[in-house]
């Protein structure tokens, strides 16, 4: 093994600037010999580094020299000019300089009215951009589904049936359970309120109208937004992160036909079924309360429900179900395809998917209510 040469340096100052000439071995084993002396070196003018006589060199020496060069030229993040040839000096100093460069400070937004208006404008532009992108995705989805329905032999029936089972049949227990207890709550509240007017018998009409028209389908949409949206977004987002969608496109497969269309079709088919089950479960909860608390026989309850609540209330609720299912699947698939290459983007997309679906269901339900009110239904 060759003998280690102690590091040394000399500072030459001229009209064109200062040159730091180094020699010997600048390694982790020797660099402490010149560390203190370099700390006291402060030329205060542009500094160049001469590595012509440099021997051994590693990252410890690169760190010490980079620190010295930064102190000599404050206010600039550019690397100093290096004179001479050395096998590792340039690359090691550049790597250490890049790693040790501090991150720029986070800009502090000014307060006041103008800052509030600026943030409001930025938020409004984001909402408009998101709405335009969603409408574009809606158009592409409708065209794809229409093309596949006119050519049913291109539909992926295995995927459709699998989604129907996962997002439909597997969700039946939780939807029925929630709707049953919501029906009980509505019946209790209605009976308590109507008892002040000796009108407890009208609890039947309250349960009928609320479950057939609103609660059954809205609860179904809310459960789908929390359960199915997160699942669809996570599935497609994970495929996007693993570059499986890119591989799919390389093979000539279209993600809209393979991933989006089966989920859209399955949800449009299964959401009315789930809403129907939720409606029956809610009415069953009302029957339970009427039987145990109001002494209304289940047979009497059902007969009064049949004669007092028009059948069109049932179709009002059912008409919303496929729309809710379509919107939930649309938002979930779009957010899944928007996932980037990081886990943070997957979590953000999943959260956005659930929030947008919940918001869309409430807004659509309000629009349906206004529409049917104007229609006199």
């Amino acid at each position: 093994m060759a003998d280690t040469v102690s590091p040394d340096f000399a500072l030459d100052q001229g009209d064109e600037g200062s040159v730091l000439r180094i020699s010997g071995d600048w390694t982790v084993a020797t660099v402490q010999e010149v560390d203190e002396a370099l700390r006291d070196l402060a030329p205060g003018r542009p500094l160049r580094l001469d590595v012509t006589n440099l021997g051994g060199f590693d990252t410890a020496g690169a760190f010490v020299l980079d620190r010295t060069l930064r102190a000599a030229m404050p206010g600039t993040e550019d690397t100093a000019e290096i004179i001479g040839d050395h096998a590792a000096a340039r690359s090691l100093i550049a790597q250490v300089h890049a790693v040790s460069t501090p991150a720029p400070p986070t800009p502090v937004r000014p307060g006041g009215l103008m800052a509030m208006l600026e943030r409001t404008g930025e938020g409004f532009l984001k909402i408009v951009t998101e709405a335009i992108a969603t409408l574009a995705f809606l158009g592409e989805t409708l065209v794809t589904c229409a093309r596949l329905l006119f050519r049913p032999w291109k539909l992926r029936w295995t995927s459709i049936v699998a989604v129907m089972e996962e997002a439909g049949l597997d969700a039946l227990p939780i939807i029925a359970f929630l709707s049953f207890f919501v029906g009980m709550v509505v019946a209790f509240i209605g009976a308590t309120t109507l008892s002040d007017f000796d009108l407890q018998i009208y609890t039947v009409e309250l349960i009928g109208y609320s479950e057939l028209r609103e609660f059954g389908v809205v609860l179904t949409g809310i459960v789908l937004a929390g359960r199915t949206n997160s699942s669809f977004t996570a599935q497609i987002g994970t495929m996007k992160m693993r570059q499986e969608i890119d591989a799919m496109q390389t093979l000539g497969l279209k993600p809209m036909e393979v991933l989006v269309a089966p989920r859209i079709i399955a949800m449009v088919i299964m959401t009315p079924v789930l809403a129907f089950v939720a409606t029956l479960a809610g009415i069953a909860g009302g029957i339970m309360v009427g039987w145990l608390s109001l002494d209304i026989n289940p047979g009497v309850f059902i007969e009064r429900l049949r004669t007092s609540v028009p059948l069109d209330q049932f179709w009002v609720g059912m008409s919303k179900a496929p729309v809710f299912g379509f919107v939930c699947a649309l938002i979930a698939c779009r957010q899944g395809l928007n996932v980037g290459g990081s886990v943070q983007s997957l979590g953000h997309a999943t959260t956005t998917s659930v929030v947008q679906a919940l918001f869309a269901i409430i807004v659509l339900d309000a629009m349906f209510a206004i529409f049917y009110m104007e229609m006199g239904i």
Side-chain angles (χ1 to χ4, degrees), residues 184-245:
M184 292 184 66
V185 171
V186 172
F188 270 121
I189 294 174
T192 302
T193 304
L194 293 174
S195 64
D196 296 336
F197 308 95
D198 294 327
L199 299 175
Q200 297 94 323
I201 191 62
Y202 288 104
T203 303
V204 177
E205 283 78 0
L206 175 64
I207 291 295
Y209 278 96
S210 62
E211 290 294 336
L212 291 175
R213 192 180 182 105
E214 292 294 336
F215 283 117
V217 65
V218 171
L219 276 175
T220 300
I222 290 174
V223 172
L224 291 179
R227 181 182 182 275
T228 305
N229 267 60
S230 58
S231 174
F232 285 177
T233 304
Q235 290 171 0
I236 298 177
T238 303
M239 295 180 67
K240 188 77 177 295
M241 290 174 57
R242 295 176 178 175
Q243 299 182 346
E244 295 178 17
I245 295 180

Side-chain angles (χ1 to χ4, degrees), residues 47 59 79 107 120 160 209 219 221 246 296 344:
L47 184 64
T59 53
T79 56
T120 303
I160 294 175
Y209 278 96
L219 276 175
D246 295 336
I296 301 176
Q344 289 82 0

Side-chain angles (χ1 to χ4, degrees), residues 81-221:
E81 180 184 354
I82 299 178
I83 305 172
D85 295 327
H86 189 273
R90 295 178 184 274
S91 61
L92 280 179
I93 292 175
Q95 292 176 23
V96 170
H97 182 83
V99 171
S100 58
T101 299
T106 303
V108 179
R109 287 180 176 268
L113 177 62
M114 294 303 297
M116 184 189 70
L117 294 176
E118 180 183 353
R119 291 192 295 270
T120 303
E122 291 176 355
F124 178 76
L125 289 178
K126 289 181 181 178
I127 293 175
V128 172
T129 303
E130 184 73 14
I132 293 175
T134 301
L135 288 176
F137 189 78
L138 170 63
E140 185 178 2
T141 301
L142 291 176
V143 171
T144 301
C145 292
R147 184 172 62 246
L148 290 176
L149 291 176
F150 281 108
R151 292 183 289 180
W153 60 89
K154 297 193 68 175
L155 286 172
R156 297 180 174 271
W157 293 105
T158 303
S159 300
I160 294 175
V161 173
V163 175
M164 290 173 64
E165 178 182 3
E166 176 190 353
L169 294 179
D170 292 347
L172 275 177
I174 182 65
I175 289 177
F177 185 80
L178 289 176
S179 297
F180 179 81
F181 284 99
V182 168
M184 292 184 66
V185 171
V186 172
F188 270 121
I189 294 174
T192 302
T193 304
L194 293 174
S195 64
D196 296 336
F197 308 95
D198 294 327
L199 299 175
Q200 297 94 323
I201 191 62
Y202 288 104
T203 303
V204 177
E205 283 78 0
L206 175 64
I207 291 295
Y209 278 96
S210 62
E211 290 294 336
L212 291 175
R213 192 180 182 105
E214 292 294 336
F215 283 117
V217 65
V218 171
L219 276 175
T220 300

Side-chain angles (χ1 to χ4, degrees), residues 134-135 138 213-214 217-222 224-225 229 268 271 316-331 353 355-373:
T134 301
L135 288 176
L138 170 63
R213 192 180 182 105
E214 292 294 336
V217 65
V218 171
L219 276 175
T220 300
I222 290 174
L224 291 179
N229 267 60
V268 170
T271 307
V316 167
M318 288 298 104
S319 65
K320 305 176 186 178
V323 178
F324 287 176
F326 177 85
V327 170
C328 285
L330 180 79
I331 293 173
S353 174
V355 172
Q356 286 186 357
L358 290 172
F359 178 80
I361 287 170
I362 301 302
V363 172
L364 287 173
D365 186 63
M367 294 175 65
F368 271 112
I370 296 172
F371 172 76
Y372 284 123
M373 182 181 67

